[in-house]
Amino acid sequence: MSGSGLEGVVVARTRLSQIDGEAGRLAYGGYSIEDLAEHATFEEVAHLLWHGELPGRAELDALRAQLADASALDDRVLALIRSAPAGARPMAILRTAVSALGMLDPDAEDTADGANLRKVVRLTAQLPVITAAIARTRDGRDPVAPRPDAGIATNFLRMLGADPDPDRARVVDVALILHAEHGMNASTFSARVTIATLADLYSAVTSAIGTLKGPLHGGANQRVMHMLEEIGEPENAEAWVHDALDRNEKIMGFGHRVYRTLDPRAPILRDLAHGLGGEDNSRWLRISDRVVEVMDAEMQKRGKKIYPNVDFFSASVYRTLGIPVDLFTNVFACARVVGWTAHAMEQLADNRLIRPRAEYVGPAQRTVEPIDQRP
């Protein structure tokens, strides 16, 4: 029997991704994450995860056209976003908006392969549009419509009102690739449990978003950014880290449930961050690098091996790109929706209701006493 959290339990067979936590390796469909980050686009990775192969030129052009055609939001969804109460969290709005998409899609209950592929394209196209609309409408600005001739990464920066320079858009593109899929993580498991009941894809993605919303899963990079802001300057990092460790507090962005060595996505993002330039970025990177140095020295003294993970560097990257901190988890969802939907389709291809057992540890058999005799 496994320990708590289902650790070590295999719940599915998958062709989507392979993680070697001991060696620090991650591959999607046989392609290393390093290879994909250097040579592929997010749209190509989406095709790989949905169809099992990287697309040819004609297939990629067709997918981009489908994403562009599917990106326009229904006015009723925009009205729902605008009606969100002041202070509503972006992930809560995203969760509600995706649930609304399911009510408005005539294909929602159609489980045929063709209908499911249309739905996964719609979800992938519209999550970035919803996220950007959340950011703009809460500031009293009108949403910006996506351009049909631009990719998802470029459009996302445009719709936010950030600089869509090609180099910056490529950074977003790679960040989306790095977050697109990661085995049987908590939100992916939620998606597979939901779709296994033969609920619709929108329900599965809504379940996944609700799971990702939790700070132990999707909110880590927001907490990293808050930590960097609290540290303030590189020269404050050593004292801050030691004080936090003395209080037995977790240093955000370090360690991973799966990896026992360096998260292979982390150095890719760190290199991207260094390529962004700018005084603001330089400041966050200098703080980040100093935190890594202090943690490395401290862990060596304690005989432990704890390394930075992908969240540690994604925080400063997103901040430098002009993405508001409370949207970081939404960006995660915009990437991971490709993995969620790929897993959902994989589950449906050979479906069996996911129904684990629980070990009862409560009281032995008892007899109901009359209410007046109960203590």
Side-chain angles (χ1 to χ4, degrees):
M1 188 180 71
S2 75
S4 61
L6 297 181
E7 188 168 353
V9 174
V10 174
V11 297
R13 295 166 61 88
T14 183
R15 60 165 179 80
L16 299 174
S17 68
Q18 183 179 25
I19 303 167
D20 185 336
E22 297 299 325
R25 288 197 290 264
L26 170 64
Y28 298 169
Y31 295 96
S32 75
I33 196 65
E34 293 85 358
D35 196 8
L36 291 170
E38 184 173 358
H39 298 116
T41 63
F42 179 56
E43 289 85 350
E44 289 175 273
V45 167
H47 189 283
L48 169 66
L49 291 172
W50 293 336
H51 299 284
E53 300 292 344
L54 287 170
R57 171 57 60 187
E59 291 170 316
L60 180 58
D61 289 345
L63 176 56
R64 284 175 170 161
Q66 291 164 7
L67 289 164
D69 289 344
S71 61
L73 277 184
D74 190 296
D75 287 341
R76 289 167 289 185
V77 177
L78 284 172
L80 180 66
I81 294 169
R82 287 191 175 99
S83 70
R89 295 187 176 184
M91 279 294 284
I93 304 173
L94 180 66
R95 179 191 61 207
T96 303
V98 169
S99 183
L101 291 178
M103 293 191 295
L104 300 171
D105 190 337
D107 287 340
E109 301 297 334
D110 188 344
T111 59
D113 291 346
N116 280 336
L117 284 170
R118 289 194 294 274
K119 284 178 277 188
V120 302
V121 167
R122 288 170 190 153
L123 283 159
T124 302
Q126 292 187 10
L127 258 66
V129 182
I130 292 170
T131 295
I134 292 168
R136 293 185 68 88
T137 56
R138 68 179 179 181
D139 294 337
R141 298 176 294 167
D142 289 330
V144 174
R147 275 176 41 179
D149 60 338
I152 287 175
T154 299
N155 262 325
F156 182 61
L157 291 174
R158 280 188 59 258
M159 291 184 296
L160 277 180
D163 181 3
D165 169 87
D167 290 337
R168 297 166 75 85
R170 179 56 183 161
V171 171
V172 174
D173 199 46
V174 173
L176 294 174
I177 291 170
L178 297 178
H179 288 88
E181 160 61 7
H182 205 247
M184 199 58 64
N185 57 85
S187 56
T188 295
F189 185 54
S190 289
R192 289 192 77 134
V193 168
T194 301
I195 203 72
T197 70
L198 300 184
D200 62 279
L201 266 169
Y202 292 97
S203 295
V205 172
T206 301
S207 293
I209 291 171
T211 306
L212 187 70
K213 182 175 179 290
L216 291 183
H217 185 12
N221 50 14
Q222 289 182 230
R223 296 164 75 185
V224 169
M225 196 66 236
H226 293 318
M227 177 184 73
L228 297 179
E229 290 171 337
E230 187 173 334
I231 292 172
E233 298 294 339
E235 54 267 26
N236 300 334
E238 184 171 8
W240 193 97
V241 169
H242 284 151
D243 287 347
L245 291 174
D246 288 343
R247 295 191 300 270
N248 292 318
E249 292 181 3
K250 178 177 172 59
I251 306 300
M252 296 310 304
F254 281 81
H256 195 280
R257 183 71 173 264
V258 174
Y259 296 112
R260 298 296 177 260
T261 184
L262 182 65
D263 182 336
R265 301 166 296 176
I268 299 172
L269 267 180
R270 185 184 184 280
D271 290 346
L272 289 174
H274 275 284
L276 283 171
E279 179 57 35
D280 188 53
N281 186 48
S282 176
R283 176 189 172 199
W284 301 125
L285 276 177
R286 283 185 284 116
I287 298 172
S288 299
D289 287 344
R290 185 64 185 130
V291 170
V292 172
E293 291 172 0
V294 174
M295 279 291 290
D296 184 56
E298 186 63 26
M299 292 304 105
Q300 285 191 37
K301 283 170 39 178
R302 300 184 181 199
K304 296 182 178 180
K305 294 182 178 180
I306 300 178
Y307 302 91
N309 57 42
V310 68
D311 297 308
F312 186 76
F313 291 108
S314 67
S316 53
V317 168
Y318 292 165
R319 174 66 177 269
T320 302
L321 290 168
I323 300 171
V325 175
D326 64 350
L327 289 184
F328 286 4
T329 311
N330 288 58
V331 178
F332 194 160
C334 291
R336 189 56 61 84
V337 68
V338 167
W340 292 334
T341 52
H343 273 274
M345 290 190 292
E346 187 175 66
Q347 179 69 34
L348 288 173
D350 185 23
N351 188 48
R352 181 174 172 82
L353 182 69
I354 297 173
R355 177 61 169 87
R357 296 173 59 191
E359 180 186 9
Y360 178 70
V361 294
Q365 183 173 344
R366 297 186 287 183
T367 301
V368 177
E369 296 180 348
I371 192 167
D372 293 334
Q373 297 178 22
R374 298 174 198 166

